């Protein structure tokens, strides 16, 4: 086996797998596992290409600072390579980025600057405008600008495209891609136009992005919003050469996330949200064919960056992307159902230290205290503050020393107005079905349920 001497040597040459357990119609569907790159995504190729080219042209000096705007994966690739080469890195990212990506970036030594994801190009808080302004203000900084950097598509023209062609013996009828910066589409098109001009390019676009409109009508209007990370835009990236695409599929967040979850369950491949978009579009394309075709798409990045989001049932429910059957009672408002094993609880003899650890681990502020399956109290952060009072030794006290025993119980058949009376007193409602504990309802749970009703 080959021994490598730098993690950068592991970038590229990713495996290709044929999918057999999903409905691909008459077609053969292949998935290139770009999540096997060392930084976990296809953007490792781009990051290496852009840094190497900046060094070659003298735009990036030893010990310099790189600045970039990114929805995540380009940033991870840049952080990986910058750490290996000794560069400082500042990344401006929209605030919808998953926590896992942010933690990963910071662990690699990058400085992460969060900005708004609800504004469009031209607004000073828009992540690309923000990064460009920051680079102009910081002496010696280099704005790597993946959206206009020709070394971005160069990475795919020189590595990804010939790899695919070799892996499939030159027999590729269609390639399904998404567009973020546009480098993947632009680079692949350039290579295949020369070596396999019959190969068709199909766009997978998040619903709300303007790119599918441009493909279908040659113009676009204002963008909507979407939760998928890394692809979809509110403008046409010049590197994409979108005019070379004649077919596009719009994929909703629900379709993208559901497809990515299904890929894990059926094929055992843990891929990210953009991969769900690409795969959903590829399956639609394959199922629409009347003759067999060989179709390729990408697992753009690893799903381990989205475990707190699209692979988290509670987050999916909070976003209205998966729903339970409605019972028509207060149980419809419970976000974390006890009968589903989702409620985080405490026992009367647990220590206050244990309670605090659970609050921090699960990012919650109160726990019901259960004894023999019944709620005997509630403990929240204020109870901990009041009973510990700065004395660290009191963390060893049992929950019974600090919990609130005056619990507001409601039967699930109580009217919604009963919740408001409890919330007015700053409390949470404990919902029972007769004597069986179902879960808690907080003000946030009600607001989320109302919002999801509106979206449906």
């Amino acid at each position: 086996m080959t021994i490598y001497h730098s993690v950068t040597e592991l970038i590229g040459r990713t495996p290709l797998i044929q999918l057999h357990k999903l409905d691909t119609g008459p077609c053969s569907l292949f998935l290139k596992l770009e999540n096997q790159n060392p930084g976990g995504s296809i953007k490792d190729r781009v990051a290496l290409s852009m840094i190497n080219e900046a060094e070659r042209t003298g735009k990036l000096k030893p010990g310099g600072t790189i600045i970039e705007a990114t929805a995540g994966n380009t940033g991870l690739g840049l952080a990986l390579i910058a750490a290996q080469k000794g560069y400082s890195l500042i990344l401006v990212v929209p605030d919808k980025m998953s926590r896992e990506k942010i933690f990963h970036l910071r662990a690699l030594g990058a400085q992460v600057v969060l900005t708004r994801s609800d504004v469009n190009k031209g607004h000073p808080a828009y992540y690309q405008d923000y990064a460009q302004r920051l680079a102009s203000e910081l002496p010696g900084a280099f704005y790597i600008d993946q959206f206009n950097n020709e070394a971005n598509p160069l990475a795919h023209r020189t590595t990804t495209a010939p790899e695919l062609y070799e892996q499939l013996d030159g027999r590729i009828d269609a390639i399904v891609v998404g567009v973020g910066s546009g480098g993947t589409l632009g680079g692949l098109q350039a290579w295949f136009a020369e070596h396999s001009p019959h190969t068709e390019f199909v766009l997978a676009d998040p619903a709300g992005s303007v790119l599918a409109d441009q493909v279908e009508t040659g113009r676009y209007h204002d963008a909507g919003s979407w939760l998928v990370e890394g692809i979809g835009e509110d403008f046409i990236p010049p590197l994409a050469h979108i005019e070379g695409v004649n077919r596009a599929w719009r994929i909703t967040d629900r379709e993208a996330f559901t497809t990515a979850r299904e890929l894990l369950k059926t094929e055992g491949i843990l891929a990210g949200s953009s991969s769900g978009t690409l795969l959903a579009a590829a399956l639609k394309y394959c199922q629409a064919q009347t003759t067999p075709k060989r179709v390729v798409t990408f697992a753009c990045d690893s799903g381990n960056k989205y475990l707190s989001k699209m692979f988290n049932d509670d987050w999916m429910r909070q976003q209205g992307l998966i729903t339970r059957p409605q019972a028509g009672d207060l149980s419809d408002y419970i976000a974390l159902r006890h009968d589903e094993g989702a409620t985080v609880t405490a026992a009367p003899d647990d220590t206050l230290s244990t309670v605090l650890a659970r609050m921090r681990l699960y990012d919650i502020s109160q726990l019901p205290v259960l004894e023999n399956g019944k709620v005997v109290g509630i403990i929240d952060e204020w109870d901990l503050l009041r009973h510990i009072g700065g004395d660290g030794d009191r963390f060893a006290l049992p929950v019974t020393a600090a919990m609130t025993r005056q619990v507001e119980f409601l039967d699930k058949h109580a009217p919604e107005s009963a919740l408001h009376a409890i919330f007015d007193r700053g409390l949470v409602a404990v919902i029972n079905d007769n004597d069986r504990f179902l879960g808690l309802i907080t003000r946030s749970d009600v607001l989320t349920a109302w919002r999801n009703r509106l979206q449906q």
Side-chain angles (χ1 to χ4, degrees), residues 34-327:
E34 290 296 299
N35 56 354
Q36 300 299 304
N37 280 303
S41 88
I42 194 170
K43 294 295 189 176
D44 285 5
R45 298 176 185 264
V46 171
L48 182 61
S49 177
M50 292 191 301
I51 288 179
N52 283 346
E53 185 65 11
E55 290 174 334
R56 187 187 69 79
T57 58
K59 295 177 181 177
L60 186 57
K61 307 294 184 183
T65 298
I66 301 169
I67 295 179
E68 180 57 330
T70 174
N73 285 320
T74 300
L76 287 167
L78 290 170
L80 179 76
I81 297 160
Q84 296 296 305
K85 290 175 172 278
Y87 298 114
S88 298
L89 177 64
I90 302 173
L91 297 170
V92 180
V93 303
D95 56 15
K96 72 175 182 178
M97 182 191 282
S98 69
R99 291 188 300 172
E100 287 89 349
K101 286 184 184 176
I102 293 172
F103 296 156
H104 193 169
L105 289 169
R106 288 175 175 158
L108 283 166
Q111 179 182 340
V112 178
V113 179
L114 288 175
T115 191
R116 293 169 59 181
S117 59
D118 62 342
V119 293
N120 294 331
K121 196 170 182 62
H123 190 285
Y126 184 68
Y127 73 127
Q128 293 174 40
D129 296 287
Y130 192 138
Q132 190 168 15
R133 184 174 67 253
L134 187 62
S136 68
E137 295 170 353
L138 187 65
F142 172 58
Y143 178 39
I144 208 159
D145 192 11
Q146 62 175 314
F147 289 88
N148 295 287
N149 192 324
E150 290 294 339
N152 177 350
L154 177 67
H156 299 295
R157 192 163 72 244
T158 57
T159 68
T160 317
E163 282 177 31
L164 274 175
Y165 192 79
E166 179 182 355
Q167 287 171 314
L168 287 170
D169 297 323
R171 297 186 295 128
I172 303 174
D173 296 302
I175 302 176
V176 180
V177 297
V179 169
S181 64
T184 305
L185 176 59
L188 292 178
Q189 282 187 116
W191 193 92
F192 276 88
E194 181 180 351
H195 297 88
S196 181
H198 79 278
T199 300
E200 180 181 14
F201 282 87
V202 179
L203 176 67
D205 205 30
S209 168
V210 304
L211 300 167
D213 292 341
Q214 181 70 24
V215 168
E216 293 175 350
T217 67
R219 59 184 184 277
Y220 63 92
H221 302 288
D222 291 341
S225 62
W226 57 95
L227 294 171
V228 166
E229 299 179 32
I231 59 172
E233 289 295 350
D234 53 10
F235 70 104
I236 308 302
L239 298 179
H241 298 292
I242 202 80
E243 65 279 0
V245 178
N246 55 23
R247 186 175 304 197
W249 295 94
R250 293 177 184 82
I251 304 298
T252 65
D253 288 326
R254 186 192 299 269
E255 289 176 299
F257 296 158
T258 300
T259 303
R261 288 161 64 107
E262 189 66 16
L263 177 66
L264 178 59
K265 288 180 181 178
T266 59
E267 300 279 359
I269 298 169
L270 182 62
S273 58
S274 60
S275 307
T277 303
L278 268 62
L279 181 57
L283 290 171
K284 287 175 181 288
Y285 174 86
C286 289
Q287 292 161 12
Q289 303 309 303
T290 56
T291 58
K293 290 186 177 180
R294 290 162 65 84
V295 182
V296 175
T297 194
F298 300 89
C300 306
D301 70 346
S302 172
N304 60 17
K305 300 165 185 171
Y306 309 90
L307 295 176
S308 65
K309 298 180 79 170
M310 75 173 182
F311 291 104
N312 178 349
D313 285 355
D314 300 323
W315 183 87
M316 291 282 286
R317 274 192 285 268
Q318 289 167 14
Q319 303 300 320
L321 297 170
I322 59 174
T323 57
R324 301 186 186 95
Q326 294 293 290

